[in-house]
Amino acid sequence: MHTSPVSYKRHRFPRELIGHAVWLYFRFPLSFRLIEEMLLERGIVISYETIRRWSLKFGAAYVRSLHRKRAKRDDLWHLDEVRIVIGGQIYWLWRAVDQDGYILDKILQKRRDTKTAKRLLTRLLRKRGVRPRRMITDKLKSYEAAKRKLCLSVRHLSHKGLNNRAENRHLPLRKRERTMQIFRSPGGCQRFLTVFSAVRNFFVPSSANASALTRYMHRLQAFVQWKTATALAA
């Protein structure tokens, strides 16, 4: 996959440090001020505002260089939506994950209706390239209506208890939301989610990988590719 290089020009700190600070912010429920303090303990003096600018500038560029999980015909899609309040207004975060908890896509919308469900399914079909073996949702009727509009011949199970995998994927976001003291704007929320979801996908092993050695090897490989992604910039 071709990616445009990101310039570190005029940044006085080395790219390794910038990449590490960005990784800390998106990987763990840490505020910019906490990361500032962690780096200070190592003798590195950087303001939290600088770390914030790094996250905005480099976060999306890094994740574009990370490998994405390939789609398979026997995948299961778990679709769910969760309410987020931004600036006193209610928004809905629609998200799709597969059988391993890998976040396939997410969109932030004001509505919770058939039109938005159709948009999510259309994006999934375009990005994944193949239809899943089964689609699992809660009892929101918009999913079935969107499926009919798209003439999607996929088995659809609609049951609250079956969709725990998708609902559990909202928990890390809720932790980040508390750390960040709510999102300031819909655009900022969407940009954060794009990087946050990609980094989490990359570093959190599949739930099927129960072996401690497998999880350890997964994370080692993730670190190697992350360092490669941060070094792509010229």
Side-chain angles (χ1 to χ4, degrees), residues 3 7 21 31 78 89-90 126 144 170 179 182 213 224-225:
T3 56
S7 176
S31 66
H78 296 258
Q89 296 187 24
I90 296 176
R126 184 180 70 249
E144 184 62 33
H170 295 310
T179 300
I182 73 172
L213 178 60
V224 170
Q225 292 192 41

Side-chain angles (χ1 to χ4, degrees), residues 15-33:
R15 65 182 65 183
E16 293 81 7
L17 177 59
I18 295 173
H20 183 64
V22 173
W23 173 74
L24 283 174
Y25 177 66
F26 287 106
R27 178 66 185 92
F28 302 105
L30 298 170
S31 66
F32 295 124
R33 292 180 184 273

Side-chain angles (χ1 to χ4, degrees), residues 19 37 67 69 77 96 103 111 114 128 141 144-145 147-148 155 167 177 198 223-224 231 234:
E37 186 175 339
H67 297 299
K69 184 179 180 181
W77 287 359
I103 302 171
R111 298 185 180 275
T114 300
R128 305 303 290 169
K141 295 181 180 179
E144 184 62 33
K147 178 188 162 187
R148 287 196 303 269
R155 187 185 178 194
E167 293 174 357
E177 193 177 20
F223 280 127
V224 170

Side-chain angles (χ1 to χ4, degrees), residues 26-91:
F26 287 106
R27 178 66 185 92
F28 302 105
L30 298 170
S31 66
F32 295 124
R33 292 180 184 273
L34 285 176
I35 297 173
E36 175 188 34
E37 186 175 339
M38 292 171 66
L39 295 177
L40 180 61
E41 188 274 333
R42 297 190 176 189
I44 304 170
V45 181
I46 303 176
S47 74
Y48 70 90
E49 182 60 24
T50 297
I51 299 170
R52 185 189 70 82
R53 290 197 296 267
W54 288 350
S55 299
L56 289 173
K57 180 176 180 179
F58 295 107
Y62 290 161
V63 300
R64 283 196 295 268
S65 303
L66 300 178
H67 297 299
R68 293 172 174 83
K69 184 179 180 181
R70 297 182 62 181
K72 298 182 293 184
R73 292 189 179 276
D74 61 345
D75 281 343
L76 307 181
W77 287 359
H78 296 258
L79 283 68
D80 193 39
E81 66 290 335
V82 65
R83 190 177 77 162
I84 296 181
V85 178
I86 304 175
Q89 296 187 24
I90 296 176
Y91 289 82

Side-chain angles (χ1 to χ4, degrees), residues 115-160:
K115 183 178 179 180
T116 310
K118 180 182 175 183
R119 181 184 178 192
L120 178 62
L121 286 173
T122 301
R123 284 166 54 105
L124 284 167
L125 292 168
R126 184 180 70 249
K127 288 184 177 182
R128 305 303 290 169
V130 297
R131 298 182 179 186
R133 176 163 54 92
R134 190 161 64 239
M135 186 174 81
I136 302 171
T137 70
D138 56 20
K139 293 187 176 182
L140 183 67
K141 295 181 180 179
S142 298
Y143 291 113
E144 184 62 33
K147 178 188 162 187
R148 287 196 303 269
K149 285 180 177 291
L150 292 171
C151 300
L152 187 59
S153 56
V154 173
R155 187 185 178 194
H156 178 201
L157 300 179
S158 176
H159 190 279
K160 183 74 172 177

